[in-house]
Every structure is written in structure tokens, then in C-alpha cells.
Amino acid sequence: MLALADHGSSFMAIGRAASVSQLSILKRVNLAIFRRPASTIALEHVESGHARRTVDAPIVGYWTLFCASMVFGIIVWGGLTRLTESGLSIVEWAPISGAKLPTSDAAWEAEFEKYKQFPEYHKVHIGITLDDFKKIYFMEWFHRNIGRLFGVVYLVPAAYFVSKGMVSRAGIAKIGGLGLLLLGQGAMGWYMVSSGLEKELGEHPDAVPRVSQYRLTSHLSLAYLLYAGLSLYGWNVFRANRLVSKKVANSEVLRALLQEPAVISYRRKITAATLLVGTTCMSGAMVAGLDAGLIYNEFPTMGLGITPPLSELWSQHFARGDPAAMWRNLTENPATVQLGHRILAMTTFFTLSALWWQGRKLPLPRAARVTLHAMYGLAWVQVALGISTLVNFVPIAYASAHQANSVLLLASALGLYHTLRPLPRILL
């Protein structure tokens, strides 16, 4: 999916049977090639006698895209950890010493005894054996360790590339920002887990020991932002280097096309649609955090109608006696949260479908056209997986595939946005 955003195929996307509107755009493009100004970046310039890089080395692009692929894997494994109810098995935050898996019987017994002190053992994994505990412990331990590994894979090469002058000044700022996002993601991970370890969850008969849906959504949001940032950064590095090496054929035609009003308008719609995809993904995190997928397991209806009764969707129970807090139904009422996710999901699907239909009529570059078709196909897959997950009472395989595909769908939307961004002019 990462490769879909590459401009390697250049501007070869116009079919033989172009429409009248397409031909009109092309005529304006031909006239604009020689007169339209373009945004300009310099490959390098001399300041105080020293050359300063303004285009990152190609290896930086490979590195950031590899990091993005690692984030994708962490997201998928994190989803599996949640689906197998393994996330609360490690009850301590030990960034260094926690990297080692218990090896002796005594060490395993010690970890098991710690786990028994928290509500999940008494309400969810009732009477779990040591062997079963080892399985859920490994799921959480591995999730944390691939997070630790990602930290090393990101921070060590980052320091090397910067020290060797392989990153531009703007690139250094981006790497620093993504690094802060990485650290915030780790901290949010423990903050999320700690919400499921609160002793009060064991004192209330109706309380379910699970992490806060707010913190779960925040944790996943940071992961998606990190994935998006790394992907866009890597694609931008490749694009700039292809322009420098003159590997983009007909670059002047492509540059003028991407500045056409119809393409600019379409790019803005794609930007809005990408934000809609991300919002729908976060809505899915709220569903997961409340186990809202375990109710109303039919589609398109919810019970006896398209929606549950208003009294259930807007219940006084979730306001906790405060009439001004009825809004909590939107984030704490499983029925309302599931309905909201359904509405967002179908809105996203029909929006992407409309944009696919519109994009077919525009003379888009080949990379954009391929990414557009991929996005539309992934939207169909996402809807099918979502419905299948719901009606089958959230089987682990379906739910995991649904989450993984959501990342791919977001990647395709980001990729399409990237391919439609204006081309910078490289001055040598």
C-alpha cells in the first residue's frame, strides 16, 4: 500500500476516450506549463560557506516507510491483544526490566500472584490456570516489546542520519515531532492500561474490568497519527529525490495538471474524506472500548427497527443523575456508540464511492488513478468485514482483519492525497 503513493509511473493516466471536460483541462495545462509559477525548493545552497541540505537522502525515506510498516504491525497486534483480553495481564510499568520474559517457575508464579490482586482475575479470567495466564501474558509482553523495538529502530537511525547531515533542517523538525509523538504514544499506552487496573472496578458488582474507552481511543489515535506522519514523510522524501534525479517523466505537464482548479477542488475533497476515514476509525475504537459490537448483532437493523428506541439511545442512566450530562450517551452508551459508528461508516463508504466516481472522469496521474481504485476496493472490503464482524458476534479473526484493513484504507486515502499535492520545483 505504501508504494501506491509513489510517482514512479509519472503522468500517463489519460485514457484514449477522454471526455470533453478532460480535454478542456488538458488544453489549459498545455498553456499553463510555461506561465504558471510553482512552489520552489532548493536542493542545496551555500550559507556562510557551508552547503546545507534541503532534500533528505533517499535512505531516510526508506527508513520512515519501514517505521510506518512497524506501526501497522503494532496496531494489528495491539488489536489482537485487546480481542484476547490480554492487555491487563502485566500490571506494572517497567520500560527497561519489563523487556525480559519470565523464565523460571518462580518468576512466573510471582507474576501470576501480582495479577491475582487486580479485578480482571476475579471478574473476567475467573479461575484461570498458570498455563493460560502465560498465554495472555505473552500477548501483552510481545506488544510492549515490539513497541520498545520500534523505539530503537526509530531513535537510533534518526540520530545517525541527523549527525551525518543526511536530513534537511525541515526534516529534522519533522523527525523530532514524530519522536515526541512516539514517546507520547508509549506514555498513553500505560495510562490506558492503568485505567483497567483500578481497584474500584472490583468493588462495584456491575463494573467490568476493562480500559477506559477514552484512553483506548486516544492511544489508537496517536498510533494512526504516527503511521500517517511517517508515511507522508517517506513519500515526500521519495518524491523530492525523484524530481532531483529527473526520474519523473513529463514533470512540467504533471506540475501544471496538479495546479488545475478541478484537480485542486478534488484534492480538497480527498483531504476532507481522509479526515472522515480517520474519524470513523476512532469511532471504531470507542465501539471496541465499550464492547459495543456484542449487542445488536444484525444489519442493517438494530433490533426491531433501523435504530433502537430513543429512550435507549438517550438514556438517563448514563447521565448519572445530571440532566446536563446526557451527552455521555454519545461516548458511554454502547447502543448509541454503535449507531454512531454505523452512521459514520456508511457515510464514509458513500463519500468514497462518490469521489471514486468523480475521479474516474478527471485526467488524473496514473499513480493517483491506481490509488483511487485501491481506496475504493478497500472501502468495499472494510464494509464487508465490519458487517461480518458484527453479525458473527465479533470473532477474533474478523475483528482483527477489520482493524487492519482500516489502516490500509487510511493509507490509500493519504496516498491519494499525496499524489494530488502540487509538485515542488527543484532548482539545481
Side-chain angles (χ1 to χ4, degrees):
M1 179 55 61
L2 296 173
L4 291 175
D6 188 6
H7 275 284
S9 301
S10 73
F11 175 62
M12 295 294 290
I14 305 170
R16 295 180 179 179
S19 65
V20 174
S21 60
Q22 288 176 322
L23 294 175
S24 176
I25 291 175
L26 290 176
K27 289 178 181 178
R28 292 198 301 273
V29 167
N30 290 330
L31 292 174
I33 290 173
F34 302 101
R35 71 175 183 229
R36 187 182 297 275
S39 58
T40 302
I41 61 174
L43 174 62
E44 60 180 21
H45 70 273
V46 177
E47 185 178 282
S48 302
H50 299 284
R52 178 161 63 88
R53 175 183 287 275
T54 54
V55 174
D56 299 336
I59 192 173
V60 176
Y62 286 109
W63 164 65
T64 53
L65 291 185
F66 177 76
C67 287
S69 68
M70 285 194 69
V71 174
F72 172 76
I74 292 172
I75 290 173
V76 173
W77 190 267
L80 285 170
T81 302
R82 176 184 52 78
L83 288 165
T84 55
E85 297 181 326
S86 305
L88 300 178
S89 57
I90 301 179
V91 298
E92 294 177 332
W93 175 240
I96 305 301
S97 61
K100 182 181 179 181
L101 188 69
T103 53
S104 66
D105 291 341
W108 275 115
E109 287 289 352
E111 292 298 320
F112 195 25
E113 288 302 318
K114 292 177 186 177
Y115 177 68
K116 289 179 180 180
Q117 306 306 311
F118 291 87
E120 188 183 61
Y121 172 78
H122 301 282
K123 286 192 170 185
V124 178
H125 295 303
I126 303 171
I128 187 175
T129 65
L130 178 59
D131 287 339
D132 289 334
F133 172 72
K134 289 180 179 180
K135 295 175 183 177
I136 63 172
Y137 187 98
F138 177 82
M139 293 291 295
E140 174 65 8
W141 174 84
F142 189 75
H143 182 52
R144 294 191 187 190
N145 264 23
I146 53 179
R148 292 183 177 98
L149 177 62
F150 174 71
V152 174
V153 170
Y154 184 83
L155 295 174
V156 174
Y160 176 81
F161 294 143
V162 171
S163 67
K164 294 297 182 180
M166 303 170 72
V167 184
S168 66
R169 186 172 295 177
I172 292 174
K174 293 175 183 177
I175 288 174
L178 290 169
L180 291 176
L181 190 58
L182 165 62
L183 295 176
Q185 169 71 351
M188 179 56 71
W190 172 247
Y191 184 58
M192 175 192 69
V193 169
S194 65
S195 67
L197 298 175
E198 295 175 356
K199 295 296 181 67
E200 291 79 5
L201 294 172
E203 298 172 358
H204 299 285
D206 297 333
V208 179
R210 61 188 176 203
V211 300
S212 162
Q213 73 272 24
Y214 300 110
R215 300 185 194 184
L216 173 64
T217 302
S218 299
H219 185 52
L220 191 62
S221 297
L222 290 176
Y224 275 70
L225 283 174
L226 188 58
Y227 175 82
L230 288 166
S231 298
L232 287 172
Y233 185 19
W235 294 336
N236 287 334
V237 170
F238 283 140
R239 183 190 228 192
N241 278 278
R242 291 186 69 83
L243 287 169
V244 168
S245 59
K246 300 185 183 301
K247 292 183 179 180
V248 179
N250 300 315
S251 60
E252 292 302 317
V253 178
L254 177 59
R255 179 175 288 111
L257 172 63
L258 293 176
Q259 293 173 334
E260 276 297 308
V263 177
I264 291 174
S265 175
Y266 188 67
R267 181 174 68 244
R268 289 171 179 166
K269 294 176 183 177
I270 292 299
T271 302
T274 303
L275 294 174
L276 181 59
V277 171
T279 302
T280 305
C281 291
M282 296 311 101
S283 169
M286 293 293 290
V287 171
L290 291 170
D291 288 331
L294 297 176
I295 61 174
Y296 291 114
N297 300 98
E298 58 270 329
F299 188 87
T301 59
M302 294 182 71
L304 299 178
I306 296 299
T307 68
L310 182 60
S311 59
E312 181 180 351
L313 293 173
W314 209 244
S315 172
Q316 291 284 350
H317 171 74
F318 294 96
R320 302 168 194 168
D322 182 2
M326 290 294 287
W327 60 267
R328 288 198 179 102
N329 281 277
L330 298 174
T331 56
E332 298 180 11
N333 185 337
T336 309
V337 170
Q338 189 194 117
L339 176 61
H341 185 58
R342 288 188 184 211
I343 293 172
L344 277 171
M346 297 315 299
T347 301
T348 300
F349 174 74
F350 287 119
T351 298
L352 297 182
S353 298
L355 289 172
W356 173 77
W357 185 260
Q358 181 185 2
R360 291 170 61 249
K361 300 177 182 179
L362 293 174
L364 301 178
R366 178 182 292 176
R369 191 170 296 277
V370 170
T371 311
L372 175 64
H373 294 320
M375 182 183 71
Y376 184 51
L378 288 167
W380 274 100
V381 172
Q382 186 67 0
V383 170
L385 285 171
I387 295 173
S388 299
T389 300
L390 179 68
V391 300
N392 288 286
F393 295 87
V394 196
I396 292 176
Y398 288 11
S400 180
H402 185 52
Q403 183 177 38
N405 194 73
S406 74
V407 183
L408 297 180
L409 181 59
L410 179 63
S412 65
L414 284 169
L416 181 55
Y417 160 77
H418 170 75
T419 61
L420 296 175
R421 292 183 65 191
L423 274 183
R425 191 182 298 279
I426 309 295
L427 297 181
L428 300 176

